[in-house]
Amino acid sequence: MILSATRRSRLIAAALRLMPIIAALCALLAGGMVMLSTAPGHTSDVWAHTYRISGILNGDVIARPVSSRSELHPMVHGNVGGAVDRSWLDYSIREYDHHDPAVAWPDTITRSDARTVDLPYNNTAVYTPVAYLPQLAGFAAGRALGLPTAVTYRLAQTLMLAVYALMTGLAVAALPRWRIPATLLLTAVTAASNSAFAISADSLTQCTVTLLTAMLLRVATRPVRLRFVAGLGGVAMLLACCKFIYAPLILMVPLAVWTQSRMAMPRPSATDRKPTQPRDCARQSALHLEENPTWRRVRLLRQRRCRLAALAAVGTVAPLTLLAVWMRLNDWYTTMPVNVTYAHMTARKHALLTDPGLGMRVIGYVARAIVTARANLDRASDSRLIGMCLIVFAASLIMLALATTTRAITGRLAVFWWASFAAAAATIAAMYLALWLQYTPDWMDVADGMQHRYLYPLALMTLLGALDAIAASARRITRLPGAQRDDANMA
């Protein structure tokens, strides 16, 4: 049966409306399959994150010095952590199969009580409790219900997967276009990694960056209500509480809101107050101006722009301020003291700000890591994925440059996408710089420690920018006189 054009358009419109639900279900299905096939302890830094979550529940929101050690943190001095339930230490030892070296050494524990032991987790101590909200809920529920640690472990993963799927659906719902390609990409990323359910700060970070990207595009390209812009600021605040390395993306909020302020105002709601009947000539003259549609539109537009400016200021300054305060509270230790001690890291910071020669060498270290797709521990599979992500990012940037050069993309949309790619590039540069400061030993001439999962949150922004550039270039080609004559001849 051949469907008419009207019926086809209705079916496509219905499918696009259902796409957020489809995206959430795909995330649940793909993430659930990966979760069931992943043995406990086989996600990145899982035991360090597990210790951190238990430490938060026991009151150690900010880490403190501990004397216990692990294979990942074998130093006698410089380890930080907190009080962890003894049951989680026993569970991590029981499940340990040399995948995650963060499992603590029991014979190094010097401080404990009947229920808790002090364990080290330098590499996860820097994350705020907000980054672990779904897992914290699972751990707290397991403790309150007296569940076995194995059941609590799976409960925390399941809650994280549910939050991930919900935020994926919200991200697709916020997109003004490209819902189907975005759903396919997000499903592929979910199936290719364990970030959808892992007991890790990466899980909430990845879906938060995805939601922020979709909301930024909508605010920059479609008229929205003020409450949507307020929600954008809330998501930026959530991102600031997850992983500080993605903070450059928060700087996109004021640009997107500025672009929104240049657009036509959404249609006023029916609840707008109407003026009452005046009693004198002066009030009648003022009312005449207020009832004039042009003057009323100008007044409402000015009010809206003032409110947008306030929301943009709060949605940018508040997250960055919160991030600065948290980083200040946690700047007295390093994430990997076995590689870079605190004194050494402090010396690197000072030299980086005062020695131009070191700055140039660090740029060389980062460039060498990017060109060679250097991966943590020099893993070949991880290196290939890092290289593929960087190549796709560069290809998307080239597409945007071509679309801008040919004036296929112009004006505020061009500014938005160039700023977006600049923020993404700054995020990648910040990753390498942080890895050099706190992870890379002195004897290495390349920034070490990069993992492909750090680049996955930027996948949606890269895809959307490339699709906008390709679509704009295609539209421009079809508008060229030669293309129009070819179409007429073919007809």
Side-chain angles (χ1 to χ4, degrees):
M1 181 178 63
I2 300 178
L3 298 177
S4 63
T6 302
R7 188 159 182 88
R8 283 198 304 271
S9 63
R10 289 178 179 175
L11 289 175
I12 294 174
L16 291 176
R17 286 194 298 269
L18 293 174
M19 199 53 61
I21 299 176
I22 296 173
L25 292 177
C26 288
L28 275 176
L29 180 61
M33 293 176 63
V34 178
M35 183 180 74
L36 293 176
S37 62
T38 303
H42 277 252
T43 56
S44 298
D45 301 321
V46 58
W47 300 126
H49 288 292
T50 299
Y51 296 164
R52 171 62 174 154
I53 295 169
S54 183
I56 292 172
L57 287 178
N58 290 321
D60 287 319
V61 176
I62 297 179
R64 52 184 172 81
V66 297
S67 58
S68 54
R69 293 176 288 151
S70 66
E71 184 180 346
L72 186 64
H73 304 299
M75 302 291 288
V76 176
H77 303 289
N79 289 343
V80 299
V84 179
D85 288 355
R86 190 179 293 273
S87 59
W88 286 114
L89 173 63
D90 296 338
Y91 183 68
S92 63
I93 294 174
R94 187 167 65 250
E95 297 292 340
Y96 179 57
D97 58 357
H98 304 281
H99 180 81
D100 180 15
V103 175
W105 292 336
D107 56 345
T108 64
I109 298 173
T110 59
R111 183 175 177 179
S112 62
D113 55 34
R115 190 176 62 85
T116 65
V117 291
D118 279 6
L119 301 183
Y121 44 79
N122 288 60
N123 54 320
T124 60
V126 71
Y127 301 130
T128 71
V130 177
Y132 297 108
L133 282 179
Q135 297 95 334
L136 279 169
F139 277 45
R143 175 189 291 183
L145 298 175
L147 299 177
T149 50
V151 177
T152 302
Y153 183 91
R154 289 300 188 184
L155 175 61
Q157 287 185 326
T158 303
L159 290 177
M160 183 62 249
L161 177 60
V163 172
Y164 184 96
L166 174 63
M167 295 185 71
T168 299
L170 291 176
V172 174
L175 284 175
R177 51 183 176 267
W178 309 122
R179 287 186 171 186
I180 294 177
T183 299
L184 294 175
L185 172 70
L186 295 176
T187 302
V189 170
T190 302
S193 67
N194 50 42
S195 296
F197 63 88
I199 296 179
S200 170
D202 292 329
S203 301
L204 189 60
T205 300
Q206 181 164 314
C207 55
T208 301
V209 173
T210 298
L211 180 57
L212 180 72
T213 300
M215 295 182 73
L216 284 171
L217 181 60
R218 188 171 192 89
V219 170
T221 58
R222 295 286 189 276
V224 297
R225 302 292 180 186
L226 292 176
R227 58 177 174 266
F228 191 92
V229 179
L232 176 64
V235 175
M237 179 73 77
L238 178 61
L239 178 60
C241 294
C242 289
K243 295 189 76 169
F244 73 93
I245 209 69
Y246 297 95
L249 300 178
I250 298 175
L251 299 177
M252 287 298 301
V253 172
L255 176 61
V257 176
W258 172 80
T259 305
Q260 176 69 207
S261 68
R262 303 296 101 185
M263 297 180 191
M265 189 173 59
R267 181 176 299 178
S269 62
T271 58
D272 285 346
R273 184 179 63 86
K274 294 184 179 180
T276 57
Q277 186 68 23
R279 295 183 179 179
D280 53 62
C281 295
R283 292 184 61 188
Q284 186 173 4
S285 176
L287 180 62
H288 175 73
L289 292 177
E290 185 176 355
E291 287 181 332
N292 185 288
T294 302
W295 284 100
R296 179 176 175 79
R297 187 162 53 249
V298 170
R299 179 175 61 84
L300 292 176
L301 185 59
R302 287 176 178 172
Q303 292 178 357
R304 175 179 168 82
R305 287 180 175 176
C306 291
R307 292 168 182 171
L308 285 173
L311 290 174
V314 173
T316 306
V317 175
L320 295 179
T321 302
L322 177 64
L323 179 61
V325 171
W326 180 259
M327 295 305 298
R328 183 67 181 87
L329 293 173
N330 291 271
D331 67 350
W332 52 274
Y333 59 87
T334 62
T335 58
M336 282 293 291
V338 66
N339 289 352
V340 181
T341 63
Y342 175 73
H344 195 179
M345 188 257 303
T346 303
R348 282 184 174 184
K349 284 183 179 179
H350 178 74
L352 192 62
L353 297 175
T354 58
D355 183 3
L358 177 63
M360 296 304 297
R361 289 197 299 273
V362 171
I363 292 175
Y365 299 157
V366 171
R368 187 176 292 110
I370 292 175
V371 171
T372 61
R374 171 81 184 189
N376 186 37
L377 303 179
D378 207 17
R379 295 191 183 98
S381 59
D382 209 359
S383 180
R384 285 192 293 269
L385 290 172
I386 291 172
M388 182 182 68
C389 292
L390 294 176
I391 289 172
V392 171
F393 182 82
S396 300
L397 193 59
I398 292 173
M399 294 177 192
L400 179 62
L402 292 175
T404 307
T405 304
T406 59
R407 301 189 62 80
I409 291 182
T410 57
R412 292 189 292 269
L413 184 60
V415 173
F416 170 79
W417 278 123
W418 276 109
S420 298
F421 276 86
T427 300
I428 296 173
M431 292 178 188
Y432 281 104
L433 179 61
L435 290 171
W436 175 79
L437 275 174
Q438 298 208 24
Y439 190 86
T440 306
D442 265 346
W443 56 269
M444 298 189 70
D445 60 353
V446 60
D448 192 29
M450 176 59 78
Q451 300 181 43
H452 70 276
R453 59 190 173 95
Y454 300 157
L455 301 174
Y456 278 169
L458 304 176
L460 183 61
M461 179 179 292
T462 304
L463 173 70
L464 296 176
L467 289 176
D468 264 9
I470 293 172
S473 298
R475 286 194 300 269
R476 186 181 184 281
I477 291 173
T478 58
R479 288 196 301 265
L480 292 176
Q484 293 176 357
R485 285 197 299 269
D486 292 340
D487 292 341
N489 293 333
M490 292 177 63

